[in-house]
Amino acid sequence: MPHLIDPAEGARYPGDDLLGSLWERPPKAEVHVREQHPADRTPFIAVLGSSGFRASWQAGISHVLEEVGHPVRWDLASGGTIPGLAAAAGMNRHWRRVANAGVPTHKILAPAHGLRWFERKNLDLAGVFDMTAVEEWLDSWLAWAGVKTFRDLRYKPGEIKPAETSHRAGICVAMWRTDRPFRARCTPDQLRDPEFIHHAFRWAFFGRQFPWRRFKSVWIPDTVDEHLPWLKQEIDDHSPAFWARVSMSQWPACLPTVLQDPETLQLIFLADGGHIDNQPSLFNDGRVPSLPLLNPRLAQNRRQNKPGQRARDAGRMPFGRVVRFELAPETNFSSLQAGGLRLAERDAMWRRGVTQGRQRLSSELADLVEQHASDRERSEQMYDRVRVHVPGLHGFQSIAAARRPWTKRTFDNRS
């Protein structure tokens, strides 16, 4: 099979994909093909989250999840929104093209426009990175697969679905609402202007409206009517790529998204859903979910494979299964290195992720199904929920976790 050449790098690409140049946009006229899942595969909820942008490896695991079972729901946060939305859109056949086309991380790391020279590296001044390039990139891939809005991700009548959900994918974002109205009604252009966002953040933060006292987790589109009720009637017309970008904006490193409540004029800052819960899941609240809950941990390091990690995983996900793979040279990257990964390195991560997933996930899912059945039976005799442990990575996260029902603060490393 022919080797592909990256024109930007002048290097030979080691993959053997027959779908064309992996860094090109997909042809608009190409027919999307979705493979059907065999009826005998176990349905489950897949949980994907990441603090980095390792799309190649994540999509490799997503592909294996589709092979070993039938995830009817994808709970997503941060960088996990990229492969999760691709899988929810049904890109089974063309998923690797999406993964290795390359997230435009070189554009992510460019400072946001509108910040003065002495503010660009000061992370308490509303962030420095702009995620717009990721939104545009992901939006083009989803549109190619036939998903333009959340309406395209709705369950069809009669389909198996978890309780309290209406869409095949949910995106977790962290929300901070100011405790007082803004001094004026903002225009749509202002709310999209990085310089205005910068000043609005300063107005709120230095006005002692500290965000860590009021951070909440919002699941788009499932809980939008509870937290952002004026969007309830229009959320199905929103692009999932927009909310994926919001969930990848890790405050304070990225420019937050700002909305304004039309009734109260309070400003609402939206950022990375991982700020609230490092095991992001709509069902991770101490209740047994209606379907098995599987969380493959994509990023590994030596600290995460210590003996006590299994006990910490059980506390953070008491109903479900956390699967950790062995540390490998191809996957040992920090999130700050992701912007410099070349196509060859992304492909190596993908190959290792697929190999590890095929070795582990089939047996893990079989054990999870058995565990889930016993958990459901035992839950019928329980009068209270099990408290979920939420690690306090930062002071504001610890406070926010302590205020959430059915959670317990733990001063520990991230999951």
Side-chain angles (χ1 to χ4, degrees), residues 105-299:
T105 48
H106 60 291
K107 295 183 180 179
I108 295 172
L109 300 180
H113 298 294
L115 303 183
R116 301 179 183 89
W117 68 269
F118 59 86
E119 297 169 341
R120 291 181 183 271
K121 300 300 181 183
N122 193 343
L123 296 184
D124 67 346
L125 300 178
V128 295
F129 299 144
D130 189 347
M131 305 292 294
T132 304
V134 178
E135 178 186 352
E136 295 174 349
W137 174 85
L138 184 56
D139 190 66
S140 68
W141 289 110
L142 290 174
W144 171 67
V147 174
K148 296 182 179 180
T149 68
F150 277 116
R151 183 175 286 104
D152 299 316
L153 293 176
R154 273 190 171 273
Y155 291 103
K156 297 178 181 179
E159 285 186 332
I160 299 175
K161 72 182 188 70
E164 302 178 10
T165 65
S166 54
H167 297 74
R168 297 197 302 274
I171 299 175
C172 185
V173 301
M175 184 186 82
W176 162 38
R177 179 189 292 265
T178 62
D179 62 0
R180 68 194 69 161
F182 192 60
R183 49 198 170 209
R185 185 176 296 277
C186 304
T187 66
D189 289 339
Q190 284 179 313
L191 296 176
R192 289 190 295 265
D193 178 33
E195 188 169 2
F196 175 83
I197 294 174
H198 164 74
H199 290 295
F201 186 91
R202 287 176 59 92
W203 166 80
F205 190 90
F206 292 107
R208 302 187 67 79
Q209 304 179 57
F210 297 128
W212 45 79
R213 294 179 182 173
R214 286 175 293 277
F215 260 110
K216 296 180 180 179
S217 59
V218 180
W219 283 88
I220 305 297
D222 296 281
T223 64
V224 69
D225 58 333
E226 177 184 351
H227 301 286
L228 307 169
W230 68 91
L231 296 180
K232 180 180 179 180
Q233 301 302 322
E234 65 178 64
I235 192 65
D236 261 356
D237 296 317
H238 284 212
S239 167
F242 168 80
W243 288 99
R245 187 258 291 175
V246 173
S247 189
M248 286 185 279
S249 299
Q250 187 173 357
W251 182 88
C254 294
L255 196 70
T257 298
V258 182
L259 305 177
Q260 187 176 36
D261 190 317
E263 298 294 333
T264 66
L265 298 189
Q266 292 172 291
L267 295 184
I268 297 172
F269 294 82
L270 302 172
D272 194 328
H275 281 158
I276 295 297
D277 193 342
N278 257 225
Q279 300 279 9
S281 171
L282 180 64
F283 307 95
N284 195 7
D285 61 357
R287 296 177 298 175
V288 180
S290 57
L291 294 167
L293 193 68
L294 183 66
N295 180 200
R297 300 306 297 170
L298 308 174

Side-chain angles (χ1 to χ4, degrees), residues 44 46-66 74-85 87 95 99 278-280 294-305 309 313 317 321-335 341 346 348-358 360-361 414-415:
F44 62 94
V47 182
L48 290 180
S50 172
S51 60
F53 303 95
R54 307 173 197 191
S56 295
W57 193 22
Q58 289 172 336
I61 297 299
S62 299
H63 180 68
V64 176
L65 288 178
E66 294 279 8
W74 294 85
D75 282 357
L76 310 171
S78 195
T81 57
I82 294 175
L85 284 174
W95 66 274
N278 257 225
Q279 300 279 9
L294 183 66
N295 180 200
R297 300 306 297 170
L298 308 174
Q300 305 297 326
N301 57 45
R302 291 178 179 84
R303 171 181 56 77
Q304 290 175 328
N305 287 315
Q309 188 63 57
D313 289 342
M317 193 175 240
R321 179 64 59 92
V322 179
V323 181
R324 295 182 180 274
F325 303 129
E326 295 180 358
L327 179 68
E330 299 92 337
T331 61
N332 189 19
F333 291 92
S334 71
S335 58
L341 292 180
R346 292 179 188 229
M349 292 175 69
W350 166 78
R351 292 175 185 276
R352 174 63 68 175
V354 170
T355 301
Q356 290 181 325
R358 285 176 173 162
R360 291 280 305 280
L361 289 180
R414 70 174 62 210
S415 57

